[in-house]
Amino acid sequence: MEKLAIEGGISLNGEVAISGAKNAALPILCAGLLTAEPLIISNVPHLRDVTTMLSLLGQMGVNISVHDKLGIELHASNIHTPEAPYEMVKTMRASVLVLGPLTARFGEARVSLPGGCAIGLRPVDQHLKGLQAMGATISMDHGYMIVRAPRLKGVRICMDLVTVTGTENLMMAATLAEGTTIIENAAREPEIPDLAACLTAMGAKIKGAGSDTITIEGVDKLHGASHSVMPDRIETGTFLVAAAATGGTVRVTGARPGTLDAVLDKLREAGVKIETGTDWITVAPNGTNGKLRAVNLRTAPYPAFPTDMQAQFVALNTVASGTGVVNETIFENRFMHVQELQRLGADIEVEGNTAIVKGVEHLDGATVMATDLRASASLVIAGLVARGTTVVDRIYHLDRGYESIEEKLSKLGARIRRVS
Ligand code: EPU
């Protein structure tokens, strides 16, 4: 199993280019199922989750070709198996995103129940509730959800809670439904307007994506299109926190600063200087001593502070002055990085969904284990700060969501290498 070995204590400096967003690319790849014509998607990040999604689509019968510059062409003219098997769904929950497109275009989808995962229970009841309201019948068979609808019907759906992939699934399903669908209490994450832009280029009629009410007027058919995936706001935030924690000056380029307001506010509160341009953000130490201050934060749906940046800020707080109280409200089990950070000497106490992080003078390198994607990122950040060597084990989690992380960090001056 591959590991990362990091010699800590070196500040990151320089410029790093941001990749396409994983959580935008995954639903957009599924949108390829909605048309018999080719969908060309560019700026697709080279990640394990993307490869998993491509093999899932390939198994169903989608023709896939890879173009230059991270471009992928999908051609779903002939689908023989509208199914996401257990082996796929268990490795990547986002496989559930095929549910809406398959039902809308082929009248049937068979998707394995995802079950719980490392960060929480994560049910899909809202996805099913929405499809049912649109006239689909849902049955369960040996752990599979079977959704059938000759043609989905437009309705008004009020989501019981804010769900990102739930909103995406229903938005995609509604593009081919008969009549108008209104999704209330929709998620507002920036990946949703990015998906809507792709669907619109394919001929869908969508209004309000990015707000909590999305209106979709169904059409009979969607056509081929080209779309470039938005930059990854969580990768952006992760590099900014890594730079801040190590006391360096880093510019991230090809980013979208407007999608990171809550994260940038917290970085300013932590005491670093942030400058932004149209597609770049620079983080630098503030003032003469450059000491970081621990910050309090509470995760919540966009535009509030993202759960996907919580672990990285816990790492930042461990080496800041003072105490930061971190409240996780989205997932019930997203503090697994805490136990690993403690191995490096961090002072953190967890009470329910709150982590109380007291900054320490320094962390010391140790061997730690990655448990999920963002937890892994927080361990890498801590390793970059810690004195001596930190070995992060099970980095396949990291490869799910960070493109060439060790190359990018090396270019910023980090001493980091992949070892078997
Ligand atoms: N939920 C339900 N019922 C549902 C759907 C969700 O109870 O039918 C609950 C979940 O259990 C959770 C909350 O609602 O407590 C929010 O979950 P959401 O559905 O929004 O999460 P998701 O769509 O499965 C996406 C991202 C996650 C990110 C969350 C929250 C993708 C592919 N994944 O997951 O990304 O943490 O939204 O912003 O877009 C990551 O990239 O590391 C990652 C986990």
Side-chain angles (χ1 to χ4, degrees), residues 22-23 122-126 163-165 308 330-331 374:
K22 166 179 83 82
N23 290 346
R122 301 180 80 180
V124 288
D125 56 300
Q126 296 301 307
T163 155
V164 178
T165 50
D308 290 344
I330 306 288
F331 294 113
R374 308 304 170 187

Side-chain angles (χ1 to χ4, degrees), residues 389-407:
T389 308
T390 295
V391 175
V392 184
D393 203 348
R394 300 206 179 163
I395 51 157
Y396 56 87
H397 290 293
L398 205 61
D399 295 333
R400 293 186 59 173
Y402 289 94
E403 185 174 64
S404 318
I405 190 161
E406 70 268 33
E407 281 94 2

Side-chain angles (χ1 to χ4, degrees), residues 22-24 26-27 49 92-94 96-97 117 119-129 159 161-168 187 189 191 232-234 300-302 306-308 329-332 334 372-374 401-402:
K22 166 179 83 82
N23 290 346
L26 296 175
D49 273 8
M92 190 185 63
R93 293 181 49 89
V96 78
L97 282 163
C117 77
I119 60 177
L121 214 50
R122 301 180 80 180
V124 288
D125 56 300
Q126 296 301 307
H127 304 231
L128 296 177
K129 183 187 139 181
M159 313 289 274
L161 48 84
V162 176
T163 155
V164 178
T165 50
T167 302
E168 291 164 346
E189 270 66 5
E191 291 75 18
D232 196 311
R233 63 194 167 98
I234 306 300
Y302 191 85
T307 173
D308 290 344
T329 77
I330 306 288
F331 294 113
E332 64 274 20
R334 216 177 193 183
D372 70 75
L373 171 57
R374 308 304 170 187
Y402 289 94

Side-chain angles (χ1 to χ4, degrees), residues 158-221:
C158 185
M159 313 289 274
D160 295 344
L161 48 84
V162 176
T163 155
V164 178
T165 50
T167 302
E168 291 164 346
N169 236 337
L170 298 180
M171 186 166 81
M172 287 193 277
T175 58
L176 291 178
E178 188 185 339
T180 301
T181 302
I182 300 171
I183 307 174
E184 309 258 24
N185 198 22
R188 291 179 283 167
E189 270 66 5
E191 291 75 18
I192 288 166
D194 202 41
L195 170 64
C198 175
L199 294 169
T200 303
M202 294 166 72
K205 294 188 176 159
I206 303 175
K207 280 196 191 124
S211 78
D212 62 5
T213 305
I214 307 178
T215 305
I216 307 114
E217 201 186 308
V219 295
D220 289 337
K221 244 183 180 183

